[in-house]
Amino acid sequence: MSKPPILRTPSHPLTLSFTTLDVFTSTPYTGNPLALIRIPSTLRSLITQQQKQNIAAEFNLSETIFLHEQLDRSTLIPEWDVEIFTTDAELPFAGHPVIGAAAYVLGRNIDDEDGEGAIEPNMSTRVSADIPYNVHIHSHTIGDLERPIPGLSLLPSIRKAELDAQIVSIVQGMTFLLVRLGSLEELGDVQLVGEDVSFHGVLDEGWRMGFVAKYYFVVLEGEGSYGDSGGVMKIRSRMLEVAMEDPATGSAASALSCYLALCGGDYGRKKFEVTQGVEMGRKSVIGVEVFVGEGLGQGEEGRRRVEGVRISGNAVVVMEGNLRV
């Protein structure tokens, strides 16, 4: 027997279930918070993009992900469409929402005919996901901009590193200034400056739209090499932009790992462990694997190309509830 159509009236708004998870951690109240909103197939056409943007703004987290349940429940492999929003825009890709959503789906216990399920409140599932990539190393640095350049550090050593840093996109619309620093002490000295860098003038043609942020990192020497032998390059990082710091940025960690892998001297699988959020009390650990093959371009990076990117991490449920639309 088919269910009656769902009608929405001012006195009976639509209700959606939500879950918040802390991602890239197995400890609640650390890692990077994520709001996940499930949209049943019966409501898919009734929720507008603007309503999703309003919901993301209400949660006020770095990202909110909307999980659209599949229309055809007869398929052997479940399929879920996702959309990712910041507080003010939709993103083409972000790492921690993908890992959080995957952990949520894999951790659900579905046991009734309507497809509803429960998720263990103390769930901590480590998952990995092959992510989209279209790695592009931009031809300019912000040092090529006309002086003065707003939005840079006031500390001379950090400012110099910012001016010389490589700009890398993991996909179109997700771009990062990869600022390598010399020590953890210097990483701790990075501060929010309240101004944005005008990246438009140094991004390559066709790559100027979307999100751009500064990603500071220190390679932890002496803690293992990386390569097919199973070694891991360990990195500490921070992502700061204007007035916010992000506890974990999977897309930035992926861009950085791809760049370092391409700068390496060989091919195959490169493994990275990126720890972020320590300075703000929300330690996050992001695993990245980059698969490097032979390229056709010029220069050191051009002789290699990325053939796959996989990120991994844990996620733990913190809250569950309902919201009205």
Side-chain angles (χ1 to χ4, degrees):
M1 181 177 179
S2 62
K3 296 181 180 180
I6 298 174
L7 300 178
R8 175 173 52 187
T9 66
S11 59
H12 294 85
L14 294 179
T15 299
L16 302 175
S17 63
F18 74 85
T19 300
T20 70
L21 306 97
D22 287 335
V23 184
F24 293 123
T25 183
S26 57
T27 304
Y29 307 107
T30 63
N32 198 358
L34 172 71
L36 181 148
I37 291 88
R38 284 177 50 206
I39 300 183
S41 58
T42 52
L43 301 184
R44 188 180 186 122
S45 64
L46 302 180
I47 310 297
T48 68
Q49 296 304 100
Q50 184 58 54
Q51 287 171 324
K52 295 171 191 173
Q53 185 65 75
N54 293 343
I55 292 169
E58 183 73 14
F59 274 104
N60 199 32
L61 298 175
S62 58
E63 280 103 19
T64 296
I65 189 166
F66 293 85
L67 198 61
H68 296 274
E69 297 183 348
Q70 61 185 2
L71 294 172
D72 183 4
R73 293 182 180 273
S74 65
T75 57
L76 294 177
I77 301 176
E79 294 183 2
W80 305 73
D81 294 335
V82 300
E83 294 173 304
I84 301 168
F85 288 79
T86 67
T87 55
D88 57 6
E90 186 174 359
L91 296 179
F93 163 71
H96 103 274
V98 170
I99 291 297
Y104 172 85
V105 171
L106 292 172
R108 291 178 67 214
N109 176 24
I110 301 174
D111 58 8
D112 63 37
E113 63 180 8
D114 293 325
E116 296 297 329
I119 186 167
E120 292 297 325
N122 61 349
M123 178 210 74
S124 178
T125 303
R126 185 167 186 86
V127 299
S128 63
D130 293 330
I131 65 168
Y133 63 92
N134 183 15
V135 180
H136 179 76
I137 301 174
H138 293 257
S139 56
H140 294 281
T141 68
I142 57 173
D144 297 327
L145 290 171
E146 184 177 347
R147 299 327 194 253
I149 304 172
L152 300 182
S153 174
L154 299 178
L155 298 177
S157 62
I158 297 177
R159 185 182 184 90
K160 182 180 186 306
E162 291 170 334
L163 291 170
D164 295 338
Q166 189 67 62
I167 302 172
V168 177
S169 299
I170 182 66
V171 294
Q172 278 192 311
M174 295 299 290
T175 301
F176 299 94
L177 180 74
L178 304 179
V179 184
R180 182 165 186 168
L181 301 177
S183 68
L184 293 177
E185 290 75 19
E186 200 171 25
L187 184 67
D189 288 338
V190 176
Q191 300 291 327
L192 295 168
V193 295
E195 288 185 278
D196 196 7
V197 176
S198 178
F199 285 99
H200 182 80
V202 292
L203 299 181
D204 290 344
E205 188 69 33
W207 294 83
R208 293 174 180 166
M209 300 297 291
F211 179 79
V212 187
K214 297 187 289 261
Y215 198 59
Y216 302 85
F217 71 98
V218 176
V219 175
L220 302 179
E221 305 292 348
E223 294 199 21
S225 60
Y226 67 102
D228 289 322
S229 62
V232 179
M233 179 181 282
K234 295 187 178 183
I235 297 167
R236 276 275 300 277
S237 67
R238 298 177 70 184
M239 199 287 275
L240 297 90
E241 190 55 34
V242 189
M244 64 83 70
E245 180 167 2
D246 195 25
T249 318
S251 53
S254 298
L256 172 62
S257 299
C258 287
Y259 176 69
L260 293 175
L262 289 173
C263 290
D266 53 2
Y267 306 106
R269 182 178 65 169
K270 315 299 180 184
K271 297 166 67 177
F272 302 83
E273 182 182 278
V274 183
T275 301
Q276 188 178 333
V278 173
E279 290 76 10
M280 58 188 302
R282 297 196 67 97
K283 180 180 177 181
S284 308
V285 180
I286 307 166
V288 186
E289 293 179 84
V290 181
F291 300 86
V292 179
E294 187 173 357
L296 302 175
Q298 302 297 316
E300 282 299 314
E301 295 90 358
R303 286 196 283 269
R304 286 171 290 279
R305 66 189 178 105
V306 173
E307 295 184 336
V309 183
R310 180 177 298 154
I311 61 174
S312 62
N314 294 76
V316 58
V317 170
V318 178
M319 305 179 201
E320 293 183 290
N322 296 304
L323 61 87
R324 293 184 176 183
V325 181

